[in-house]
Structures are given as structure tokens and as C-alpha cells.
């Protein structure tokens, strides 16, 4: 155990950034919808520069998501965008496509690189391979269980980030599935209609009517999210003992007031653990605070953390 883990949150606006940092986050990930997917808000380059100023002024790091599926068209403007991010002073970019890594190494090698391949970042060898190519962090797959995560940590040669709270993406398609469905049902979508996160659409299976899967469309396609929220607060100490470098709280589709409560709870747990690791105990008030603001239709769960994996 060498250092406190980073508490990382996506921010959808400068106001949210300030609120989340005040609540206890010490890193934020932001981005522009053209280059990043599943972000709670869209930051222009000027706003990214301001976010860096605000974050660095509080000793926090600012990362930019460049995790979109890269088309040939996007690649044309990518070098200029990466240069702009470097000029803004961002600390790192999160990527999945090797084209982003290659561009960063060519035009802004001072930028950190966080490899996020969603469900395929499942072993230390692949993570270390990307480390050899320049990545400084791996975002571990949400499908890994606790034993796989903690067992991988000693073999990693780069930092590891783990999602500890919030909903997860379970499906993505570049196709306009919601629009296609509505058109097929005789309810054509008018030009300019909002099918994004604020529309509040859900996918419900006939076999499981009690579970609601948030679904929305934006310029990057269709996104289906999990019907429950990960909450590993009760066993956060296991990840801290394993020296995981970064804990991510997913803020997408949550009100800022909810996110502030969650951030504060995890911050208190981190501080309590590092004051006295051997004597650490969960304070039930931390998780009770989350339960009080939790959507009653969304269960708090351990996600895949304690599920046996069958390959």
C-alpha cells in the first residue's frame, strides 16, 4: 500500500466539476461528444481548458475521453484535437482505438494514455502490452470479479482503474435502434427530436418486467445501460488493500445531488482506511446516505464482483 487511490468521476459541465471536486473527487473525466462516448455532458475545447484550470487549481487531474469508434472521417481532425488537449494541459486521454494512441505519441507525447477497451481488458498480459506501447493505465473490464481484479494487480506494470459505483453500459450500436423501432411502430421520430439521456427511455423485457434498462441515442449511436447500479462500498477495503490506483464512480444518468452523496461516501471510506488500515471498519452511515437517495427502481448490487466466471 503506497498511496491513496484516486477517486475519479465523469463531469457533464463546469458546474458539476466544481461540485464533484468539492464533494471529494480528485480526478474528473470529461470530453466532447464528437470524440468521446457515454459522457454526461459535452465540453468544447474552451470549456476543457477552463476545466483544467479549475481542476489543477484544486490539485485534481483532468482526463479527456477519446473513446469513440474512430472512423476515417474522425481521424482527419484527430491530430489537431489532440494538440488542443495538450495545449489545454489535460493530464491524460482515455482511448480504446490504437489510432488514438498512435496520434498522441506522434503529436503530444506528454499526454498520459489510459487504455479502456471496455469488456476486453481482462488480463495483465494484454494490459502490459499496451503499457509497452505507451499506455500508463488500464481500465479493467466490468465483467471481472474480485478475485480476478485483486489477483491481477501484482502482475500489472501500469496503473489499474476499476469502476466501483454506478450503472454500466451493456450494449452499444452505431445504428439508430430506437428511431428505427419507433418508425416501425408507426410513431415516426420528428427531425430534431431528442432521444438522448434526458428523454428517460427504458428497455423492458417481457420475462423481467421489473427490470428497466435505460436506453438512449446520440450522435454516436444507441446505448443500453444496466438495470442496477454497482456499489462496492462495503468491500472497498479489499480493492484498497490490493493497491488499485483509481476508483471510478459512474455519474451518467444521475442527478448531481445524488452523485455528490456517493462521492462523499467513498471519500470518507478512503480517508478512514488510510488513517488506520488495520482498524478499518465500514461506517454504515456512509452506505445509508446512498440508500436514501438511491432510485427505488434501481437495485444497488455488487455487479460481477462476486460472480463466478464461466469462459
Amino acid at each position: 500500500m503506497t498511496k491513496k487511490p484516486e477517486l475519479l468521476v465523469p463531469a457533464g459541465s463546469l458546474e458539476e466539476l466544481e461540485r464533484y471536486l468539492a464533494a471529494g473527487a480528485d480526478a474528473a473525466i470529461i470530453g466532447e461528444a464528437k470524440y468521446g462516448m457515454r459522457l454526461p455532458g459535452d465540453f468544447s475545447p474552451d470549456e476543457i481548458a477552463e476545466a483544467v484550470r479549475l481542476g489543477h487549481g484544486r490539485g485534481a487531474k483532468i482526463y479527456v475521453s477519446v473513446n469513440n469508434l474512430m472512423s476515417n472521417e474522425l481521424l482527419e481532425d484527430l491530430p489537431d484535437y489532440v494538440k488542443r488537449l495538450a495545449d489545454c494541459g489535460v493530464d491524460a486521454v482515455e482511448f480504446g482505438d490504437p489510432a488514438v494512441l498512435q496520434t498522441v505519441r506522434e503529436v503530444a507525447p506528454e499526454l498520459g494514455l489510459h487504455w479502456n477497451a471496455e469488456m476486453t481488458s481482462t488480463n495483465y498480459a494484454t494490459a502490459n502490452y499496451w503499457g509497452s506501447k505507451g499506455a500508463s493505465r488500464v481500465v479493467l473490464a466490468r465483467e471481472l470479479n474480485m478475485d480476478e481484479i485483486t489477483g491481477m494487480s501484482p502482475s500489472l506494470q501500469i496503473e489499474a482503474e476499476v469502476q466501483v459505483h454506478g450503472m454500466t453500459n451493456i450494449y452499444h450500436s452505431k445504428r439508430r435502434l430506437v428511431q428505427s423501432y419507433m418508425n416501425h411502430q408507426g410513431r415516426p421520430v420528428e427531425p430534431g427530436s431528442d432521444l438522448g439521456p434526458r428523454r428517460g427511455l427504458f428497455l423492458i423485457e417481457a420475462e423481467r418486467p421489473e427490470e428497466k434498462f435505460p436506453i438512449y441515442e446520440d450522435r454516436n449511436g444507441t446505448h443500453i445501460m444496466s438495470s442496477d447500479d454497482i456499489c462496492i462500498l462495503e468491500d472497498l477495503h479489499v480493492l484498497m488493500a490490493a493497491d488499485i490506483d483509481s476508483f471510478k464512480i459512474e455519474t451518467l444518468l444521475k442527478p448531481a445531488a445524488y452523485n455528490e452523496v456517493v462521492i462523499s461516501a467513498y471519500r470518507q471510506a478512503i480517508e478512514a482506511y488510510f488513517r488506520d488500515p488495520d482498524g478499518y471498519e465500514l461506517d454504515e452511515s456512509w452506505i445509508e446516505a446512498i440508500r436514501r437517495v438511491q432510485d427505488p427502481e434501481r437495485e444497488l448490487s455488487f455487479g460481477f464482483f462476486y460472480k463466478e466466471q464461466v469462459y
Side-chain angles (χ1 to χ4, degrees):
M1 183 175 59
T2 58
K3 61 179 180 179
K4 291 180 186 178
E6 168 188 273
L7 191 55
L8 169 65
V9 298
S13 67
L14 292 170
E15 178 191 359
E16 283 188 2
L17 175 63
E18 291 188 278
R19 292 175 65 174
Y20 296 164
L21 294 179
D26 45 25
I29 185 162
I30 59 178
E32 184 179 348
K34 179 178 178 180
Y35 296 100
M37 285 197 295
R38 289 182 295 279
L39 294 164
D42 198 12
F43 278 71
S44 69
D46 288 342
E47 288 172 322
I48 290 173
E50 179 62 13
V52 171
R53 188 190 69 79
L54 290 171
H56 288 182
R58 298 186 65 117
K61 293 185 177 180
I62 302 296
Y63 309 134
V64 173
S65 177
V66 192
N67 67 338
N68 203 348
L69 303 177
M70 291 294 157
S71 63
N72 291 326
E73 182 181 2
L74 281 178
L75 289 181
E76 292 179 8
D77 298 328
L78 184 61
D80 288 339
Y81 184 66
V82 167
K83 288 179 184 177
R84 185 77 179 268
L85 296 181
D87 291 341
C88 290
V90 304
D91 296 285
V93 299
E94 187 176 285
F95 76 99
D97 194 312
V100 177
L101 179 146
Q102 184 176 7
T103 301
V104 169
R105 293 188 64 181
E106 289 176 355
V107 305
E110 69 274 21
L111 282 177
L113 286 157
H114 296 172
W115 177 58
N116 182 4
E118 302 292 343
M119 63 179 293
T120 62
S121 47
T122 57
N123 67 80
Y124 66 83
T126 304
N128 291 339
Y129 167 81
W130 286 107
S132 72
K133 300 301 181 183
S136 56
R137 175 182 296 183
V138 56
V139 180
L140 296 180
R142 279 67 166 176
E143 289 79 9
L144 295 177
N145 63 33
M146 185 68 85
D147 288 341
E148 290 171 317
I149 292 170
T150 58
M152 188 189 308
S153 183
S155 300
L156 284 172
Q157 297 167 5
I158 58 176
E159 293 182 352
E161 177 187 314
V162 172
Q163 182 178 337
V164 295
H165 196 96
M167 65 177 63
T168 59
N169 174 247
I170 62 173
Y171 178 87
H172 172 258
S173 174
K174 293 287 283 187
R175 293 176 296 164
R176 303 283 182 172
L177 300 182
V178 178
Q179 180 175 324
S180 177
Y181 173 80
M182 288 185 169
N183 290 340
H184 181 72
Q185 293 295 315
R187 293 180 291 171
V189 176
E190 298 296 328
S193 295
D194 181 19
L195 298 176
R198 296 183 181 181
R199 181 71 176 267
L201 298 174
F202 294 94
L203 180 67
I204 301 175
E205 297 179 286
E207 296 81 5
R208 295 185 289 177
E210 73 284 353
E211 294 192 51
K212 295 182 177 180
F213 299 84
I215 180 171
Y216 69 93
E217 283 181 9
D218 57 20
R219 64 183 294 170
N220 296 316
T222 306
H223 312 269
I224 302 177
M225 310 303 291
S226 61
S227 62
D228 58 6
D229 291 318
I230 294 172
C231 179
I232 202 65
L233 184 62
E234 291 179 90
D235 283 352
L236 195 67
H237 62 286
V238 179
L239 296 173
M240 289 190 279
D243 285 331
I244 300 300
D245 301 276
S246 180
F247 296 154
K248 181 183 180 183
I249 294 171
E250 179 55 77
T251 62
L252 184 64
L253 298 178
K254 302 290 189 184
Y258 172 91
N259 294 326
E260 287 175 303
V261 171
V262 174
I263 293 166
S264 177
Y266 279 84
R267 171 50 61 199
Q268 291 178 78
I270 292 170
E271 295 302 323
Y273 180 87
F274 278 85
R275 279 196 301 269
D276 182 12
D278 293 332
Y280 173 83
E281 291 184 2
L282 176 75
D283 186 328
E284 288 292 332
S285 68
W286 302 334
I287 197 162
E288 283 303 320
I290 296 175
R291 290 187 179 123
R292 284 195 295 270
V293 295
Q294 180 69 19
D295 184 342
E297 294 189 332
R298 294 186 62 81
E299 180 183 355
L300 292 174
S301 79
F302 287 125
F304 287 94
F305 276 92
Y306 291 107
K307 291 185 178 179
E308 182 179 354
Q309 308 294 21
V310 179
Y311 298 106

